[in-house]
Amino acid sequence: MPSWLVSPVVGRLRDLEGIFDGAPHGINHCLINEYLPGQGIMPHEDGGAYWPVVATVSLGGSLVLDVTAKQSNSNSDADFETTGRDKTASWRILQEPRSLLLTTGSAYTDTLHGIAEVAEDVDLNEQTVANWGLLSDQDAIAAKDGRSERTTRVSLTLRDVLKVSAVGSKIFGKARPGGR
Amino acid sequence: MPHDLKAKSTHIGVKPYNISMMDAHRISGAPPAMYYIPNFITAEEESHILQSVRLARFHLSFGHDPDTRVRFLLTAGSPSPTAASKLFHPA
């Protein structure tokens, strides 16, 4: 891990008490993605190759991460029949530059996440953004009528890869999901 | 606010977050548990990391393809240039 990631990012993550407790290797892996305006990633899950805690640091630009509960067969059909629409639970997480998003527990195991391929995220407000109350600058978004233009965003996705060598060969072989 | 306390409060890295502090950053309504911390790093730190990412790309001769998201991966220990160049050219 290069020094420019250890300090400040990795070291500061290790200071988050309890979050990475139990991860066999701590943080041993950083995926760096660049998202240009209009780029995104289809909904996906990250699966069992990683310890189920993921830290995402956003740099340079804002975008919305769409988190959706995995379909459960128990009630969805009945819900659909009675309401005429899909009631799958979903959450929009606005990731501002310099922010950290931590995903743990069932938020990791029971959801899919993706990023819409849009040049602008719209309709952002207290009702639609799950982390609205935690944002650094709600006023800036409100002043733009709930719109946030995409600019180039670089994300650092930091995790514990459980089987370093086996997983490594898979990752090197072809592009795989994992973007956030 | 005394000067020393003010200095500490402007930079979360100075003081480790503990569980109760993390609760204040929990995204309510989301499945358990997601946390959001704005300004986890400073603007200066952000600039330095972005510059380092660009330098790493340059040194590994990673051609920028506008149709492909840049993605590369850093594992514990520095990857060799050969291994790293594979990372920079995902299928």
Side-chain angles (χ1 to χ4, degrees), chain A residues 13 16 20 53-58 65 67 93-96 98-104 113 131 134 153 156-158 180, chain B residues 25 27 33-38 40:
Chain A
L13 288 172
L16 298 174
F20 278 93
V53 174
V54 57
T56 310
V57 177
S58 298
L65 183 74
V67 176
I93 313 286
L94 182 62
Q95 297 178 274
E96 299 167 294
R98 300 176 292 285
S99 71
L100 168 68
L101 178 67
L102 290 165
T103 306
T104 72
H113 56 276
N131 60 327
L134 300 171
R153 169 188 179 258
L156 312 176
T157 306
L158 297 117
R180 284 170 180 268
Chain B
H25 291 277
I27 300 175
M34 300 181 80
Y35 304 89
Y36 183 82
I37 300 178
F40 182 68

Side-chain angles (χ1 to χ4, degrees), chain A residues 2 4 30-34 171-175, chain B residues 52-65 68-75 78-91:
Chain A
W4 49 268
C30 179
L31 179 67
I32 301 179
N33 279 321
E34 180 182 72
I171 291 169
F172 298 171
K174 70 183 224 238
Chain B
S52 301
V53 170
R54 284 187 206 107
L55 274 173
R57 284 167 66 180
F58 176 78
H59 284 301
L60 294 164
S61 304
F62 180 60
H64 183 67
D65 177 353
T68 308
R69 277 183 303 113
V70 173
R71 50 187 305 145
F72 64 96
L73 175 154
L74 297 157
T75 51
S78 299
S80 69
T82 310
S85 70
K86 285 185 192 166
L87 299 178
F88 280 77
H89 295 95

Side-chain angles (χ1 to χ4, degrees), chain A residues 23 36 38 44-45 53 58 71 91 93 121-122 124 145 149 165 167 173:
Chain A
L36 302 178
H44 64 279
E45 59 184 311
V53 174
S58 298
Q71 284 284 357
W91 301 267
I93 313 286
D121 290 297
V122 301
L124 307 174
D145 202 23
E149 194 181 345
S165 57
V167 172

Side-chain angles (χ1 to χ4, degrees), chain B residues 9-68:
Chain B
S9 68
T10 57
H11 205 293
I12 69 158
V14 173
K15 186 165 57 175
Y17 269 37
N18 59 40
I19 297 291
S20 58
M21 293 167 74
M22 290 304 296
D23 278 346
H25 291 277
R26 181 144 167 207
I27 300 175
S28 59
M34 300 181 80
Y35 304 89
Y36 183 82
I37 300 178
N39 299 310
F40 182 68
I41 60 172
T42 67
E44 284 176 5
E45 291 166 342
E46 176 188 37
S47 297
H48 182 247
I49 295 168
L50 285 171
Q51 188 181 27
S52 301
V53 170
R54 284 187 206 107
L55 274 173
R57 284 167 66 180
F58 176 78
H59 284 301
L60 294 164
S61 304
F62 180 60
H64 183 67
D65 177 353
D67 294 328
T68 308

